[in-house]
Amino acid sequence: MGASERVVFRGVTFRRYPDSKNWADRWYFTPGVADRQRGVGRLHQEIWKAANGSIPKGHHVHHRDENPLNNDLDNLECLPGREHNHNHSADSSPEVAAARLAGLVAGRERAAEWHRSEEGRAWHREHGKRVWDGRQAEVFTCEQCGAEYQSRAAQGHNRFCSNNCKTKWRKASGVDDEDRACAFCGNTFRINKYAVARACSRVCGQGLRRQRAAS
């Protein structure tokens, strides 16, 4: 994203990137990934929260003078999200709205391209290592066999105590099943998408083999 500007507030580093093609990255000071994961918001949000407490659900912290770089407390107010969005949209022509949408789409495409790049993959490897090394093991219950096990992986990635239990659960749940047309009789049958079977039954399988032998 190019050169950045850095601000430290209450021990957290926030950055913005004046040369970024992404509007939000240019104008808002944002914390790093690890801080965002533990709930730290953008600089203006954290300044308002430090003085007033948590932001009510469905509300946004608004810059009174419409200048995102003016993060003085007196310039910040908390508004219902609908009112905040309406205030901004009322000042935007259809052309500006279309340009903003195009910018968001382009930004997502550039972000996806960066994440696929060698630089992006290297960043993810290093970030994953830092997060993994600092994570404490927790006790989870396997959804398949009911056994308790320990893991440092996050809750959303911890459902099974082993790959064997994961495979059993997927087969039993039918999550990988698909409909196929029997290559012998033409009837539709349901089967795991990773299975190689082309016939709906043993009888049809034998008939299919006889067809191949005769051809």
Side-chain angles (χ1 to χ4, degrees), residues 107-178:
R108 292 192 187 101
E109 292 175 350
R110 287 193 298 273
E113 182 178 348
W114 180 83
H115 285 295
R116 291 193 296 266
S117 70
E118 182 56 37
E119 179 186 1
R121 289 195 294 268
W123 181 89
H124 279 290
R125 287 193 296 269
E126 181 60 28
H127 174 68
K129 183 176 183 299
R130 290 197 305 269
V131 172
W132 185 262
D133 289 345
R135 193 185 298 277
Q136 298 297 316
E138 297 182 51
V139 177
F140 299 91
T141 301
C142 178
E143 293 185 17
Q144 174 61 27
C145 70
E148 290 189 346
Y149 64 99
Q150 289 190 342
S151 175
R152 287 191 293 170
Q155 175 69 52
H157 301 281
N158 256 308
R159 301 178 60 191
F160 309 101
C161 62
S162 65
N163 285 333
N164 186 41
C165 274
K166 180 179 179 179
T167 300
K168 288 181 179 179
W169 181 90
R170 293 188 73 90
K171 287 183 177 179
S173 68
V175 68
D176 294 320
D177 289 355
E178 65 178 9

Side-chain angles (χ1 to χ4, degrees), residues 2-212:
S4 67
E5 293 183 4
R6 174 175 173 270
V7 172
V8 178
F9 178 70
R10 305 188 81 179
V12 176
T13 298
F14 299 79
R15 297 180 187 276
R16 79 176 185 96
Y17 299 84
D19 298 327
S20 174
K21 295 181 179 180
N22 185 305
W23 188 90
D25 289 334
R26 287 200 307 272
W27 292 102
Y28 290 118
F29 284 90
T30 304
V33 174
D35 289 313
R36 292 201 301 271
Q37 288 178 339
R38 64 184 182 86
V40 179
R42 287 172 171 158
L43 177 61
H44 65 289
Q45 296 169 324
E46 293 304 313
I47 290 175
W48 191 92
K49 285 159 60 177
N52 301 285
S54 61
I55 301 171
K57 185 176 181 180
H59 285 60
H60 299 169
V61 176
H62 170 64
H63 294 85
R64 296 176 188 270
D65 66 357
E66 304 291 342
N67 177 9
L69 297 182
N70 181 4
N71 291 309
D72 289 340
L73 182 59
D74 290 341
N75 190 46
L76 304 177
E77 63 179 339
C78 190
L79 299 176
R82 181 173 296 182
E83 179 182 344
H84 185 220
N85 293 335
H86 176 75
N87 289 344
H88 282 294
S89 62
D91 296 334
S92 300
S93 66
E95 292 78 10
V96 172
R100 285 179 176 171
L101 178 60
L104 287 173
V105 173
R108 292 192 187 101
E109 292 175 350
R110 287 193 298 273
E113 182 178 348
W114 180 83
H115 285 295
R116 291 193 296 266
S117 70
E118 182 56 37
E119 179 186 1
R121 289 195 294 268
W123 181 89
H124 279 290
R125 287 193 296 269
E126 181 60 28
H127 174 68
K129 183 176 183 299
R130 290 197 305 269
V131 172
W132 185 262
D133 289 345
R135 193 185 298 277
Q136 298 297 316
E138 297 182 51
V139 177
F140 299 91
T141 301
C142 178
E143 293 185 17
Q144 174 61 27
C145 70
E148 290 189 346
Y149 64 99
Q150 289 190 342
S151 175
R152 287 191 293 170
Q155 175 69 52
H157 301 281
N158 256 308
R159 301 178 60 191
F160 309 101
C161 62
S162 65
N163 285 333
N164 186 41
C165 274
K166 180 179 179 179
T167 300
K168 288 181 179 179
W169 181 90
R170 293 188 73 90
K171 287 183 177 179
S173 68
V175 68
D176 294 320
D177 289 355
E178 65 178 9
D179 290 328
R180 289 184 189 175
C182 178
F184 184 73
C185 70
N187 288 334
T188 300
F189 66 104
R190 194 155 184 82
I191 192 171
N192 188 284
K193 66 182 179 182
Y194 299 110
V196 297
R198 299 179 59 210
C200 63
S201 65
R202 182 177 297 179
V203 172
C204 282
Q206 292 172 346
L208 188 60
R209 286 191 291 273
R210 286 196 297 269
Q211 279 185 346
R212 291 174 179 169

